[in-house]
């Protein structure tokens, strides 16, 4: 073995050992171009000089020489369009142009060289299909053309709805969810969770990124290599860089209420739907960017700024002070900066930062919650500073390292000092929102080393990597007035408890009081360390095998913190720092194996398969795969609920009326035997390259969950639930006294039980069968890259999921299925939507997507996208009072019905006019939800209360639509480029 080979193994060993003491994760930010030089007969040509050039490369051309088998390889390449040149004395020089490379992908470009004649150079356009013959991953790259030309709402929610393999769980119609949902709201091949969003490799989704600043979106959904930690969606949003030419653009987007149609039909109104929901007042979105050279081929810069605002009137949302309707609005702002510096021929440095501000002063607004009771959000986020170093050590070895940060600051300041009131029947609120101040942050660091060599007569690409982070989250919980929430339960007899009276009359029937031990400050942190080793082996010209192993280590800790004891129901406690040894440490060493076989040897037909185990991964604040320090924080907020309240304010707690205690970590623990959850994934697929721009991909993905966990309240064991009460299920007709009625029995723990009212929680592991959820998914994708004036992407996915039911923790779960996380489904604020006892049933979901562009005559560009998804199942719930006079939710019919298919058709027409030099102006008209569909996506009244001898207000709103797809809306935009 050469000294470089020995060095590769040595560095890999060091990285693996280092991972035992520090954090790790990696996601490929760059791509590779590889191939073989041959003569006319197909024989290998060693010594051929191969060079590559691209506008995306700083520092000029890169070159290498083919080895004894005619092989060459370039790595650490930014996504873009390349020219590959083959040169050898005595042979004609060959230039292969328009080689399209995506971040994280590998393009195989072979050079067949002819003996030199009078023609010294041959230039051809690459005919290689965009099939990755070295990786089995299921991925799609949203390049600049798609980001710029397709009609979508410049949001993560909107982008996700277009991606194959994903089932979107939220929709954004022309900005209807503007500033809502920073994380990915989708299931990946049938499975929820495990999704990760990265900004230039920084694992953090707690921000609203600027989609105008993205060069491409690298999206991987299955069959990931050892460099990836998470089992779900991996989306890396690559920030643009400057270049050798000064370029820039500016864009303004606008829409208002006059540009929006009405999709509220008489049938919806008759069903109780409130007219005017999602009605725009206006949307204004400004964006500008500029990038170019400070010094050509040496120092580039890029800068951008986005300022967007959208508003709407929500029916019934008013200001109590004057009873006037108030505009609900959201404002987003994003400055971005990036510098690229070619330190030397083989070394590059990058620095980047993207800030964000979200101002949504009336968050949680609806017809039940007036302005004075809303959440006042004015938060700031930051991706950065982000530093990267990339080095080409030799023609066979590369190294890169990074140091990055993500975090936000989010204070909530209430609008009033009035006490907080809540009607459990209508979910109406009055009084101050909870006052808090959140400050999470994460520092991430890592590096990778790659070495290309020949071992045992085979070509190997050895790659090792390390990534980790240290994260800390701190929240100041300042609380409510009196540190109490007063809860009522209205009935149909309350004449002024309706929308026409702004629900003023809903607060006359006292029900219960929640008492909190605010104020205090809670804090928790985590360490993450990971390392991986992968060997990409060319077993033959047709067969590539990837064999990898990944090590992950998650741990958590609690900084010093406490309750100052200044609240009326608080006890002073200061808890010292508690290190990771006091909480579970999740360590795993897992395999990743995949193979790709080129059936024809021409790169046009390949089969692939993979197996991998994944143990975690999250781009949210908490990245642990299982329970940790946060779950058992002794400084956690304690909430005590008292029933039989007489309506007095402030409330003086009566011990005999205590019905439940939640939170407070002194009685929380984690079983030492709890193991980190994992996902086993198996994939198979077929890739067909019909041409260099047209491919078909067939996918099958199977997943199993393992090592789940559950909370039990050891103070209230199964045998303690001995007191039975009965209620009535009015049946599907929602009428008591008909033939479809049936009796329901609900059990509770008697007040005389020795540990009644206590909450001694313990997190324990589930048995193998309890946590072995199963997912099967099938998909097909047809992708035509932009060429000859058109492009399109078509996909269909069908996913099956069977979620297991855990062993019952009390008689109610034995009768009706698992309840909430402790198994106690007593009434909470908004009881109608509380997590009920319910049985999980298997289900299928389907998604069909089409998107594309077409260059029309007269310089017009037409673009469109269509998303069709099967609707979600919904259940029917019944509320029953137990012997303690608490309302308990039971899902009597888990698959009561299913929402209709959602079919969204968006269209765009644009015209670009060239002006002076390379400047242009483009006018754009978008039509979102062109068909003006009004599919219902949410219903109220599915939880029917029979607690007062008949159907109450919840029952009278049975199956009432509360959310529908936002109506058709036009948007006009103007874009300037230079």
């Amino acid at each position: 073995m050469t000294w470089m080979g020995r060095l590769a193994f040595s560095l890999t060993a060091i990285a693996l050992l280092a991972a035992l003491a520090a954090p790790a994760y990696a996601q490929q930010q760059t791509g590779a171009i590889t191939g073989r030089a041959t003569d006319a007969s197909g024989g290998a040509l060693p010594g051929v000089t191969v060079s590559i050039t691209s506008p995306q490369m700083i520092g000029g051309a890169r070159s290498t020489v083919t080895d004894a088998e005619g092989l060459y390889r370039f790595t650490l390449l930014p996504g873009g369009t390349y020219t590959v040149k083959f040169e050898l004395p005595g042979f004609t020089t060959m230039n292969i142009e328009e080689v399209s490379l995506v971040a994280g992908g590998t393009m195989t470009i072979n050079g067949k060289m002819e003996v030199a004649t009078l023609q010294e150079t041959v230039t051809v356009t690459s005919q290689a299909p965009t099939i990755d013959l070295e990786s089995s991953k299921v991925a799609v790259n949203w390049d600049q053309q798609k980001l710029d030309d397709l009609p979508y709402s410049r949001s993560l929610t909107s982008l996700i709805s277009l991606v194959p393999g994903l089932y979107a769980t939220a929709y954004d119609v022309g900005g209807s969810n503007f500033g809502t949902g920073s994380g990915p709201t989708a299931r990946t091949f049938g499975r929820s969770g495990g999704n990760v969003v990265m900004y230039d490799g920084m694992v953090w989704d707690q921000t609203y990124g600027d989609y105008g600043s993205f060069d491409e979106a690298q999206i991987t959904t299955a069959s990931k290599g050892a460099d990836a930690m998470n089992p779900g969606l991996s989306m890396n949003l690559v920030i643009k860089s400057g270049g050798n030419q000064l370029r820039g653009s500016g864009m303004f987007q606008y829409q208002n209420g006059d540009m929006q149609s009405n999709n509220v039909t008489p049938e919806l109104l008759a069903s109780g739907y409130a007219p005017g929901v999602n009605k725009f007042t206006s949307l204004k979105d400004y964006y500008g960017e500029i990038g170019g050279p400070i010094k050509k081929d040496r120092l580039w810069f890029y800068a951008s700024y986005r300022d967007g605002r959208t508003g709407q009137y929500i029916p019934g949302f008013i200001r109590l002070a004057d009873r006037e309707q108030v505009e609900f609005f959201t404002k987003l702002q994003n400055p971005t900066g990036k510098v690229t510096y070619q330190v030397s021929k083989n070394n590059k440095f990058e620095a980047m930062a993207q800030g964000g501000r979200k101002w949504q002063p009336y968050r949680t607004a609806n017809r039940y919650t007036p302005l004075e009771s809303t959440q006042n959000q004015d938060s700031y986020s930051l991706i950065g500073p982000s530093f990267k170093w990339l080095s080409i050590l030799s023609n066979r070895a590369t190294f890169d390292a990074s140091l990055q940060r993500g975090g936000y600051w989010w204070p909530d300041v209430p609008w009033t000092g009035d006490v907080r009131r809540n009607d459990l029947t209508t979910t109406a609120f009055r009084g101050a929102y909870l006052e808090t101040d959140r400050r999470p942050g994460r520092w991430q660091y890592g590096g990778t080393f790659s070495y290309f060599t020949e071992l045992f007569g085979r070509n190997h690409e050895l790659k090792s990597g390390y990534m980790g982070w240290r994260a800390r989250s701190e929240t100041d919980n300042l609380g409510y007035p009196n540190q109490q929430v007063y809860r009522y339960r209205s009935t149909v007899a309350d004449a002024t408890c309706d929308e026409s009276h702004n629900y003023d009359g809903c607060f006359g029937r006292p029900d219960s009081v929640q008492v909190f031990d605010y104020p205090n400050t809670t804090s928790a942190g985590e360490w993450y360390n990971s390392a991986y080793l992968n060997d990409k082996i060319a077993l033959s010209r047709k067969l590539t095998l990837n064999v990898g192993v990944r090590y992950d280590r998650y741990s958590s800790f609690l900084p010093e913190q406490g309750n100052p004891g200044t609240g009326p129901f608080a006890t002073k406690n200061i808890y010292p720092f508690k290190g990771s040894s006091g909480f579970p440490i999740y360590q795993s060493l897992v395999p990743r194996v995949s193979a790709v076989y080129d059936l024809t040897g021409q790169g046009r037909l390949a089969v692939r398969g993979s197996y991998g185990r994944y143990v975690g991964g999250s781009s949210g604040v908490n990245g642990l795969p299982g329970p940790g320090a946060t779950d058992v924080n002794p400084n956690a907020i304690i909430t005590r609920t008292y029933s039989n309240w007489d309506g007095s304010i402030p409330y003086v707690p009566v011990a005999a009326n205590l019905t439940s205690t939640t939170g407070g970590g002194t009685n929380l623990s984690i079983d030492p035997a709890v193991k980190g959850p994992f996902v086993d994934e198996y994939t198979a697929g077929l890739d067909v390259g019909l041409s260099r721009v047209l491919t078909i991909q067939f996918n099958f993905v199977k997943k199993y969950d393992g090592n789940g966990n559950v909370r039990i309240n050891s103070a209230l064991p199964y045998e303690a639930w001995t007191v039975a009460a009965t209620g009535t299920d009015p049946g599907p007709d929602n009428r008591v006294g008909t033939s479809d009625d049936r009796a329901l029995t609900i059990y509770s723990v008697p007040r005389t039980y020795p540990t009644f009212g206590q909450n001694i929680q313990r997190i324990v592991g589930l048995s193998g069968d309890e946590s072995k959820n199963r997912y099967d998914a099938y998909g097909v994708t047809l992708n035509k890259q932009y060429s000859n004036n058109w492009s399109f992407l078509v996909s269909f996915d069908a996913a099956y999921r069977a979620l297991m039911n855990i062993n019952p923790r009390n008689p109610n779960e034995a009768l009706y299925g698992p309840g909430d996380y402790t198994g106690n489904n007593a009434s909470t604020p908004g009881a109608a939507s509380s997590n009920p006892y319910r049985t999980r049933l298997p289900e299928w979901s389907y998604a069909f997507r089409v998107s594309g562009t077409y260059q029309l005559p007269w310089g017009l560009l037409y673009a469109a996208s269509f998303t069709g998804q099967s609707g979600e199942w919904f259940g029917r719930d019944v509320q029953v009072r137990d012997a303690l006079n608490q309302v308990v939710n039971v899902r009597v019919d888990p698959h009561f019905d299913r929402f209709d298919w959602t079919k969204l058709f968006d269209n765009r027409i644009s015209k670009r006019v060239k002006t002076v030099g390379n400047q242009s102006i483009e006018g754009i008209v978008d039509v979102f939800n062109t068909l003006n569909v009004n599919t219902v996506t949410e219903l109220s009244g599915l939880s029917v209360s029979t607690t007062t001898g008949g159907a109450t207000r919840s029952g009278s709103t049975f199956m009432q639509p509360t959310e529908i797809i936002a109506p058709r809306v036009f948007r006009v935009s103007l874009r300037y480029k230079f």
Side-chain angles (χ1 to χ4, degrees):
M1 183 183 299
T2 65
W3 72 271
M4 286 297 295
R6 290 191 294 271
L7 177 61
F9 281 114
S10 299
L11 288 177
T12 299
I14 291 171
L16 287 169
L17 290 173
L20 299 174
Y25 172 84
Q27 172 75 22
Q28 285 184 283
Q29 312 300 309
T30 56
I33 294 177
T34 186
R36 181 186 303 268
T38 64
D39 60 22
S41 67
L45 280 180
V48 176
T49 299
V50 184
S51 58
I52 58 172
T53 56
S54 171
Q56 281 71 38
M57 290 175 58
I58 190 171
R62 283 175 56 182
S63 61
T64 188
V65 177
T66 59
D67 64 12
E69 294 190 10
L71 296 173
Y72 74 94
R73 190 173 195 85
F74 295 97
T75 59
L76 291 185
L77 301 178
T81 302
Y82 286 77
T83 295
V84 182
K85 178 188 288 188
F86 296 83
E87 297 176 287
L88 183 65
F91 289 82
T92 298
T93 297
M94 172 173 283
N95 290 322
I96 301 179
E97 298 179 336
E98 297 185 28
V99 176
S100 179
L101 178 68
V102 297
T106 299
M107 279 298 295
T108 301
I109 303 297
N110 297 320
K112 189 174 183 180
M113 305 184 68
E114 302 285 345
V115 175
T117 61
L118 293 178
Q119 187 178 12
E120 296 182 354
T121 302
V122 175
T123 300
V124 298
T125 299
S126 172
Q127 297 301 312
T130 52
I131 291 178
D132 194 333
L133 299 175
E134 297 189 355
S135 172
S136 67
K137 68 181 179 182
V138 182
V140 61
N141 276 60
W142 227 253
D143 57 20
Q144 192 66 57
Q145 183 262 333
K146 289 186 176 70
L147 289 170
D148 281 352
D149 292 342
L150 288 177
Y152 77 111
S153 299
R154 287 167 57 97
S155 68
L156 185 62
T157 300
S158 181
L159 180 58
I160 278 176
S161 67
L162 303 177
V163 176
L166 302 182
Y167 181 92
T169 54
Y171 302 98
D172 187 351
V173 178
S176 61
N177 278 333
F178 186 88
T180 302
S182 63
T185 53
R187 296 197 294 266
T188 307
F189 288 117
R191 186 181 185 276
S192 299
N195 297 327
V196 162
V197 174
M198 294 160 283
Y199 291 82
D200 253 13
M202 176 63 209
V203 183
W204 187 256
D205 65 15
Q206 302 297 291
T207 187
Y208 292 89
D210 176 8
Y211 280 71
S213 69
F214 301 149
D215 190 48
E216 65 176 319
Q218 177 193 355
I219 304 164
T220 308
T221 52
S223 187
K224 302 170 190 175
D227 61 333
M229 63 178 174
N230 62 302
L233 164 72
S234 294
M235 178 181 290
N236 183 39
L237 301 168
V238 181
I239 304 296
K240 293 177 182 176
S241 300
N244 278 332
Q245 292 185 337
L246 184 66
R247 297 182 182 276
S249 69
M251 190 172 187
F252 172 62
Q253 298 181 309
Y254 178 76
Q255 63 194 56
N256 62 31
D258 294 333
M259 302 164 74
Q260 188 179 46
S261 301
N262 180 14
N263 64 348
V264 180
T265 62
E267 291 78 12
L268 281 171
L269 294 174
S271 301
Y273 182 73
V277 173
N278 288 335
K279 186 69 175 178
F280 276 112
T281 53
S282 69
L283 181 147
K284 298 177 182 178
D285 204 349
Y286 302 87
Y287 172 76
E289 64 176 350
I290 187 170
I294 299 174
K295 185 176 182 180
K296 287 190 175 182
D297 283 327
R298 190 73 181 217
L299 183 61
W300 294 349
F301 79 96
Y302 173 80
S304 68
Y305 184 76
R306 184 260 186 113
D307 191 329
R309 183 191 186 278
T310 185
Q312 66 183 96
Y313 283 117
I314 299 175
F317 175 55
I318 63 162
R319 180 172 42 234
L320 286 176
D322 55 13
R323 302 287 166 160
E324 293 293 326
Q325 191 171 28
V326 181
E327 181 194 33
F328 174 87
F329 71 88
T330 303
K331 188 176 183 65
L332 298 178
Q333 295 170 301
N334 298 97
T336 303
K338 189 174 186 178
V339 174
T340 306
Y341 176 44
Q342 192 72 27
V343 180
S344 64
K345 180 180 178 181
N346 293 325
N347 295 284
K348 183 171 70 173
F349 173 76
E350 293 180 349
M352 183 277 294
Q354 182 169 99
R357 181 199 182 197
K358 177 184 176 181
W359 184 28
Q360 195 175 77
Y362 313 130
R363 184 171 172 145
T364 69
N366 56 53
R367 55 181 166 174
Y368 305 111
T369 307
L371 180 152
E372 290 85 349
S373 301
T374 57
Q375 181 181 6
N376 180 10
Q377 178 184 356
D378 192 0
S379 59
Y380 293 83
S381 61
L382 179 64
I383 300 292
S386 173
F387 305 111
K388 292 183 180 181
W389 181 272
L390 299 91
S391 291
I392 302 169
L393 303 179
S394 72
N395 286 338
R396 292 178 174 270
T398 60
F399 171 78
D400 64 87
S402 63
L403 175 64
Q404 300 170 295
R405 184 189 181 277
Y408 67 76
W409 174 56
W410 179 356
D412 281 327
V413 181
W415 289 104
T416 179
D418 296 342
V419 297
R420 185 73 168 178
R421 305 170 189 258
N422 171 217
D423 175 40
L424 298 178
T425 303
T426 62
T427 70
F429 284 96
R430 292 291 187 271
Y433 194 85
L434 176 66
E435 184 175 2
T436 60
D437 188 354
R438 308 171 185 86
R439 299 177 302 279
R442 174 185 295 173
W443 278 99
Q444 175 183 299
Y445 34 87
T448 61
F449 175 80
S450 297
Y451 179 61
F452 183 67
T453 188
E454 182 179 321
L455 295 171
F456 312 110
R458 297 288 186 270
N459 288 299
H460 296 250
E461 183 184 359
L462 299 167
K463 191 171 185 179
S464 61
Y466 164 80
M467 196 199 82
W469 64 62
R470 183 188 187 276
R472 177 170 172 171
S473 178
E474 185 171 280
T475 302
D476 294 332
N477 305 287
L478 303 178
Y480 297 103
N482 297 339
Q483 307 303 358
Q484 296 178 336
V485 171
Y486 307 99
R487 309 198 299 178
Y488 303 79
R489 194 175 295 276
S490 63
T491 71
V492 290
D494 299 318
T496 58
C497 182
D498 57 29
E499 188 166 356
S500 64
H501 295 89
N502 304 124
Y503 300 95
D504 288 340
C506 300
F507 304 94
R509 299 179 186 271
D511 181 86
S512 55
V513 178
Q514 289 185 310
V515 177
F516 306 90
D517 68 340
Y518 298 125
N520 79 342
T521 298
T522 56
S523 182
E526 64 186 49
W527 289 99
Y528 172 59
N529 298 271
S530 69
Y532 70 90
L533 174 64
N534 191 84
D535 188 2
K536 184 184 295 183
I537 312 167
L539 294 177
S540 70
R541 293 190 181 186
K542 293 184 176 183
L543 179 61
T544 300
L545 178 67
N546 280 276
V547 180
V549 62
R550 181 178 181 87
Y551 171 78
D552 291 278
R553 184 182 191 271
Y554 296 85
S555 62
S556 56
F557 62 92
L558 293 175
E560 181 179 298
Q561 59 193 291
N563 191 315
T566 57
F569 308 103
T571 301
K572 183 176 181 179
N573 280 306
I574 301 298
Y575 299 97
F577 173 87
K578 188 173 182 180
S580 58
S581 60
F583 309 101
I585 296 177
Y586 302 109
Q587 300 186 78
S588 61
L589 191 66
V590 297
R592 304 283 171 84
V593 181
S594 66
V596 182
Y597 184 71
D598 184 356
L599 291 171
T600 64
Q602 302 300 314
R604 296 186 177 276
L605 186 63
V607 293
R608 50 187 164 77
S610 72
Y611 164 73
R613 174 166 288 192
Y614 305 82
V615 295
S618 169
S619 48
V621 173
N622 184 1
L624 296 177
T630 299
D631 300 276
V632 291
N633 190 343
N635 195 40
I637 303 303
I638 298 174
T639 304
R640 297 181 177 90
T641 303
Y642 296 86
S643 61
N644 300 317
W645 172 43
D646 62 3
S648 59
I649 297 176
Y651 172 72
V652 178
V654 178
N657 291 332
L658 177 68
T659 56
S660 68
T661 302
T662 60
T666 55
N667 289 324
L668 299 178
S669 62
I670 302 174
D671 187 339
V674 167
K675 299 179 181 179
F678 66 83
V679 177
D680 279 336
E681 178 192 82
Y682 305 83
T683 73
L686 174 68
D687 292 334
V688 183
L690 300 178
S691 72
R692 76 178 191 89
V693 295
L694 182 61
T695 59
I696 304 176
Q697 186 177 82
F698 300 89
N699 296 306
F700 170 70
V701 180
K702 178 183 283 290
K703 300 181 182 181
Y704 294 99
D705 289 333
N707 284 353
N709 57 77
V710 68
R711 292 175 184 248
I712 61 171
N713 185 357
S714 58
L716 305 177
Y718 192 107
E719 58 271 16
W721 300 66
T722 56
V723 182
T726 59
T728 301
D729 170 15
D733 66 357
N734 192 37
R735 294 166 53 198
V736 177
T738 58
S739 60
D740 63 354
D741 294 0
R742 65 167 174 152
L744 300 175
T745 301
I746 294 295
Y747 289 87
S748 58
V749 177
R751 297 183 186 275
T752 56
Y753 193 78
T755 52
F756 173 83
Q758 297 186 31
N759 188 27
I760 306 175
Q761 287 187 33
R762 188 165 179 81
I763 301 175
V764 300
L766 294 173
S767 67
D769 289 340
E770 287 181 279
S771 61
K772 198 173 183 179
N773 301 320
R774 173 190 157 196
Y775 313 88
D776 295 326
Y778 307 83
V780 58
T781 301
L782 178 62
N783 187 11
K784 198 269 183 186
Q785 295 185 27
Y786 185 80
S787 67
N788 298 326
N789 297 326
W790 63 290
S791 69
F792 68 80
L793 179 69
V794 184
S795 68
F796 176 77
D797 296 285
Y800 170 85
R801 61 174 181 167
L803 304 181
M804 305 304 293
N805 294 292
I806 64 172
N807 294 329
R809 293 165 289 180
N810 58 56
N812 295 329
E813 291 190 334
L815 288 170
Y816 308 114
D820 66 9
Y821 68 97
T822 61
N824 181 10
N825 280 9
S827 176
T828 58
S833 60
S834 294
N835 192 18
Y837 293 110
R838 81 270 186 229
T839 299
R840 294 171 167 178
L841 298 177
E843 59 187 41
W844 281 91
S845 59
Y846 308 93
F848 175 70
R849 299 176 178 85
V850 182
S851 61
T853 61
Y854 185 74
Q855 191 70 51
L856 296 168
W858 308 294
L860 295 172
L861 178 68
Y862 171 69
S865 64
F866 175 82
T867 299
Q869 284 195 166
S870 58
E872 297 273 33
W873 285 98
F874 59 86
R876 183 174 63 86
D877 302 348
V878 172
Q879 298 179 12
V880 180
R881 286 195 183 272
D882 64 12
L884 300 177
N885 203 34
Q886 297 181 113
V887 173
V888 177
N889 291 328
V890 177
R891 180 152 297 171
V892 291
D893 190 346
H895 279 182
F896 179 62
D897 203 349
R898 194 168 192 170
F899 291 113
D900 291 336
W901 273 68
T902 298
K903 301 171 185 177
L904 287 176
F905 186 34
D906 300 334
N907 288 270
R908 167 179 290 187
I909 192 78
S910 63
K911 168 72 174 179
R912 182 176 301 168
V913 178
K914 290 186 177 181
T915 56
V916 180
N918 63 351
Q919 301 179 62
S920 66
I921 297 176
E922 182 180 12
I924 303 170
V925 177
D926 291 308
V927 186
F928 300 103
N929 188 11
T930 306
L931 302 178
N932 203 31
V933 301
N934 60 357
T935 311
V936 175
T937 58
E938 189 173 324
L939 298 168
S940 70
L942 292 174
S943 185
V944 179
S945 175
T946 58
T947 59
T948 56
T952 64
R953 189 175 306 277
S954 293
S956 65
T957 59
F958 184 64
M959 297 280 287
Q960 176 177 303
T962 56
E963 293 290 340
I964 64 173
I965 295 295
R968 176 177 52 234
V969 64
F970 289 79
R971 176 184 295 177
V972 293
S973 306
L974 187 66
R975 179 157 51 200
Y976 165 72
K977 286 187 175 183
F978 67 89

